[in-house]
Amino acid sequence: MRILLVGGGGREHAIGEALIRDGTELYVVSKGKNPGLARLAKGYGLAKETDVEKVLDYAEKFGVDMAFIGPEAPLERGIVDVFEENGIPAVGPTREAARLETDKAFAREFMERNKIPGRKAFRVFDDVSEMRLWIDDFEKPVVVKPIGLTGGKGVKVVGYQLRDNEEAKSYAEELIRRDGKVLIEERTDGVEFTFQVFSDGKHVIPMPLAQDYPHAYEDDEGPITGGMGSYSCPNHLLPFVTKEDYEKAFETLKATVAAMRKEGTPYRGILYGQFMLSREGPVIIEYNARFGDPEAMNVLPLLKTPLTEIAAGIVDGNLRKAEFEEKATVVKYLAPKGYPANPVRGLKLEIDEKEIKKAGARLYYASLDESFTMLGSRAAAVVGAAETLEEAERIAESAVPHIRGKLFYRRDVGTRGSLEKRIELMKELGREFEPNSC
Ligand code: GLY
């Protein structure tokens, strides 16, 4: 089997590694050459992932049987539709189905008309005065979101990036003037978690839960980033997510896939539910139409079922199973100093791959060129997988000193202290539960 992987970040390095484990011939197209993927691939094409025609030319040149789409931007451009029209099945939702991620107004209206469990109160506005009146009447703290893809930026929450609902109104007005529309939601307090599933449009197969650390600095301080690291637990739950919460969140994702099918836009690919565990239970905050980055690096190293078999099941409508090892994982991303606002660029990293391997860690390259020069986003990730969280964290941590350069990372990702903090927060919110082991 020849598969074309589209995308060149850390997430795609993990996908590529999982695909070649099954003996698949890997081909890659991305904007820059990921040094890890370049070693795994039989052929590598350089093109913007959103330049769908050029990506298709490479797919035809390489004679691939299937494509696997990593990031969301080409999904928004309809890459899956174009590939299918040209006889190449692709793992990922069509342009219309990817609107669950690419068009937040669509996603909220879809949830509302299909009564998806775990949804929250929202309104979409194109009129400034109506928006202002609604926020005044609503009284509770709100979240202001741009409608389209923002690469994790642009969402602002009262109590965090916005002082109060007054400031929320001004920011929402700015977005209406810029984009024509804005989404206003009720703020949900709690702890976020990631639930990723595979779907062939009908069957829905869960992956282990993971938790991302979106803040740049330790103790959850600093600006929001693409994610500075993440962890997962051997029982595939999280310490503060009970089995009952898990089942409820799974119901949300299953109901989403069933409703997409009923509406004539079957969802095939990876569906990522970003949940907030609130006092009342899991609430869906966002959908993503792809693997998480870094969360792909938690689940893919544990996958026992060949990813190629899963990919074939997704495109054939015959997805049956995806089994994962019962291990803990910890991912730590190293980012250029100054990331995300003013990252240093153009500086080279020194990476001792042999020592990282000796430490038992996996290494995934991201925003680096072939000479290991930093390009401005998260540069590389190290991953520990082990029987216990402590051991997984220790492995990831012991790999960090072998990557040298003008970098920073979060020491606290996957540490017991940071997990306790999340458990405490849930208790402070008044939730009574017995934490799961991790
Ligand atoms: N880790 C957040 C995301 O992939 O969107």
Side-chain angles (χ1 to χ4, degrees), residues 212 226 272 288 290 292-295:
D212 185 16
Y272 166 141
N288 289 321
R290 46 157 178 95
D293 189 354
E295 296 96 320

Side-chain angles (χ1 to χ4, degrees), residues 328 330 359 384-398:
V330 174
E387 301 300 323
T388 64
L389 183 74
E390 278 73 15
E391 183 58 5
E393 199 273 331
R394 191 197 61 71
I395 293 171
E397 191 62 29
S398 67

Side-chain angles (χ1 to χ4, degrees), residues 11 72 101 151-152 192 194 196 211-214 225-230 272 274 287-288 290-296 333 378:
R11 164 182 52 208
E72 62 277 22
E101 173 169 4
E192 284 189 38
T194 301
Q196 303 170 99
Q211 192 177 32
D212 185 16
Y213 287 58
T225 69
M228 293 300 293
S230 47
Y272 166 141
Q274 182 73 67
Y287 294 110
N288 289 321
R290 46 157 178 95
F291 275 119
D293 189 354
E295 296 96 320
Y333 246 129
R378 294 169 295 176

Side-chain angles (χ1 to χ4, degrees), residues 238-249:
L238 293 168
F240 52 89
V241 178
T242 64
K243 188 74 182 148
E244 197 191 339
D245 298 325
Y246 172 92
E247 292 302 340
K248 279 192 183 158

Side-chain angles (χ1 to χ4, degrees), residues 5 33 80 114 117 166 171 177 208 359:
L5 172 62
K33 215 176 215 181
V80 172
N114 289 290
E166 275 313 307
Y171 178 52
R177 300 210 185 284

